[in-house]
Amino acid sequence: MNRFAIVATALAALWVQGCHSEGHHAEEPVKFPVTHPLRKSTELTKEYVARIRAIQHVDLRALERGYLQDTFVDEGQAVRRGAKMFQIQPLIYQAEAQKAKAELARARVELANAKMLADKQIVSPNEFALAKANYDKAKAELSLADAHKDFTLIRAPFDGIMGQLQVRRGSLLAEGDTLTTLSDNSKIWVYFNVSEAEYLDLKSRSSKQNPSAVQLLMANGKTYSRPGKIETIIADFNVENGTIPFRATFPNPEGLLRHGETGKVLMKLPVNDALLIPKKATFDVLDKKYVYVVDEKNVIRSRLITTAAETTETFLVASGLSEQDRILFEGLRKVQDGSEIAPAYQKPEEVLAHLDVPVE
């Protein structure tokens, strides 16, 4: 055999082998991942709009009328209980106190004279009693004048953060005018509303000895580093929307949280015997949700389902599926209703494990 014949034979063999290989690959069907819905207990993380409040938040008001003489603290400053904050001009009240002190001294002298005369039976016991009453009255008026004078100095009623100044030095104040606010942010109360059904579920698994833990999602989308505890449930339901306010307490040693902030409470709710499917196994038509169910002949059929809730990667099925149904969970865009497929079955536990789903 010459060189030309050898080359021709080799090329023919390669061509035949290539055709066989292409035919083999063309006949091999595409595999589509299929699984079953999984019946497991899980946890839902529910979000509730929250109102953040300091455990103490009060208005500091003028207790007496007068001009604001001095301010000892600045806005946003931390103050200790008993610290001086405002001084209202005390001159009038100092004068009243001095007058009351003089009246008390006069009444003391009159009482001493009346006692001496009563001991000698020169005056009647009634006149001595009247002198004693005048003395007690003068003493009470001095105490009242001293109290009025003390009211001109406003001190912090507790440790806290001073709010915005509502008045400036030299302002004429009436009794009851707001000077500023004071907030104790060492702990934070977070209020949120819970539906009646969720309230009943929570009460069945929680007690005062073991309050439910919650997280706080702050306005910047980050979760607050310290967990809170539900410690109080307000007395009455709102008859208009069927909710009841809960109050969770969060420690706030760094002072990050402030009165009036907004956020969301994240609370985990256990769900027993939930029927779970991956979200990617569903598709929407208008406002309805569907899955592809694979029958015994490996033909796919679209089926309408309803969902009760959802996690990050799964839906909790309320109706439309059972544990025995096989569903397509990948490649939904590559098939049509009524198509026959070659299924590649995967256990639902393995499918959900790759989705990082909390199951028990």
Side-chain angles (χ1 to χ4, degrees):
M1 183 179 295
N2 60 27
R3 182 179 300 176
F4 175 78
I6 294 174
V7 172
T9 303
L11 290 174
L14 290 173
W15 180 81
V16 172
Q17 182 179 0
C19 291
H20 177 75
S21 177
E22 289 177 2
H24 175 73
H25 287 298
E27 293 174 359
E28 184 176 347
V30 177
K31 298 284 188 177
F32 285 88
V34 170
T35 190
H36 284 99
L38 179 64
R39 180 76 67 178
K40 279 287 184 180
S41 296
T42 186
E43 284 185 341
L44 294 177
T45 299
K46 299 247 355 212
E47 294 185 355
Y48 302 89
V49 176
R51 307 181 304 279
I52 299 175
R53 299 290 183 264
I55 58 171
Q56 292 191 88
H57 179 81
V58 299
D59 292 335
L60 294 183
R61 299 178 180 271
L63 300 177
E64 296 292 346
R65 183 177 182 277
Y67 287 97
L68 182 60
Q69 178 175 304
D70 209 348
T71 300
F72 302 104
V73 289
D74 197 5
E75 297 172 331
Q77 181 178 335
V79 297
R80 305 292 294 179
R81 178 180 179 182
K84 294 191 296 183
M85 298 186 71
F86 301 96
Q87 176 69 68
I88 300 173
Q89 196 171 42
L91 296 179
I92 296 177
Y93 302 104
Q94 287 177 350
E96 288 182 351
Q98 291 173 354
K99 177 183 177 182
K101 189 178 296 184
E103 290 291 337
L104 178 61
R106 184 182 63 81
R108 186 181 293 113
V109 172
E110 290 180 352
L111 178 61
N113 290 335
K115 184 177 187 307
M116 181 183 64
L117 295 175
D119 290 342
K120 295 180 179 181
Q121 298 183 348
I122 297 176
V123 298
S124 66
N126 287 340
E127 290 182 2
F128 172 72
L130 181 60
K132 179 65 168 60
N134 288 335
Y135 172 79
D136 291 339
K137 178 183 178 182
K139 188 176 180 181
E141 288 179 347
L142 176 59
S143 297
L144 181 61
D146 286 337
H148 280 293
K149 185 179 69 173
D150 290 341
F151 286 164
T152 63
L153 179 61
I154 310 298
R155 296 180 180 272
F158 51 81
D159 296 351
I161 305 294
M162 180 173 161
Q164 186 175 4
L165 286 169
Q166 302 298 317
V167 293
R168 296 295 185 269
R169 187 178 303 172
S171 300
L172 177 61
L173 303 174
E175 183 179 343
D177 281 354
T178 300
L179 306 175
T180 187
T181 59
L182 188 66
S183 297
D184 179 1
N185 295 328
S186 58
K187 291 183 180 180
I188 290 293
W189 284 343
V190 178
Y191 293 86
F192 60 102
N193 293 331
V194 174
S195 70
E196 184 175 356
E198 292 167 345
Y199 159 78
L200 294 173
D201 290 341
L202 183 65
K203 289 294 290 182
S204 67
R205 68 175 190 273
S206 178
S207 66
K208 290 184 178 180
Q209 292 74 30
N210 184 28
S212 296
V214 293
Q215 296 285 341
L216 178 64
L217 186 66
M218 299 182 293
N220 61 357
K222 297 182 179 179
T223 303
Y224 183 57
S225 60
R226 298 175 183 271
K229 292 182 179 180
I230 298 173
E231 295 181 339
T232 299
I233 302 174
I234 309 305
D236 301 324
F237 275 90
N238 184 325
V239 295
E240 295 181 358
N241 55 29
T243 62
I244 189 169
F246 277 46
R247 191 188 78 199
T249 302
F250 286 80
N252 191 35
E254 295 86 8
L256 177 62
L257 302 177
R258 297 291 183 98
H259 179 88
E261 282 188 77
T262 59
K264 294 181 179 179
V265 167
L266 305 179
M267 182 165 61
K268 292 184 177 180
L269 302 175
V271 180
N272 296 324
D273 295 327
L275 190 63
L276 304 175
I277 62 171
K279 280 186 174 180
K280 61 182 180 179
T282 68
F283 62 96
D284 296 331
V285 177
L286 298 178
D287 60 344
K288 299 184 183 298
K289 201 167 295 295
Y290 291 82
V291 297
Y292 281 130
V293 177
V294 184
D295 65 17
E296 65 278 0
K297 296 181 179 180
N298 296 331
V299 176
I300 61 172
R301 302 292 182 186
S302 62
R303 183 182 295 179
L304 175 66
I305 66 169
T306 58
T307 59
E310 62 182 280
T311 68
T312 305
E313 298 290 346
T314 64
F315 284 119
L316 278 67
V317 178
S319 64
L321 284 176
S322 70
E323 299 172 59
Q324 289 72 38
D325 289 320
R326 294 188 301 166
I327 59 172
L328 183 69
F329 70 90
E330 284 185 4
L332 277 68
R333 295 180 180 273
K334 300 178 181 179
V335 298
Q336 295 180 350
D337 197 8
S339 300
E340 183 178 350
I341 64 169
Y345 180 76
Q346 294 185 28
K347 293 182 179 180
E349 294 85 354
E350 297 175 356
V351 174
L352 296 186
H354 286 90
L355 298 177
D356 191 26
V357 176
V359 293
E360 296 177 357

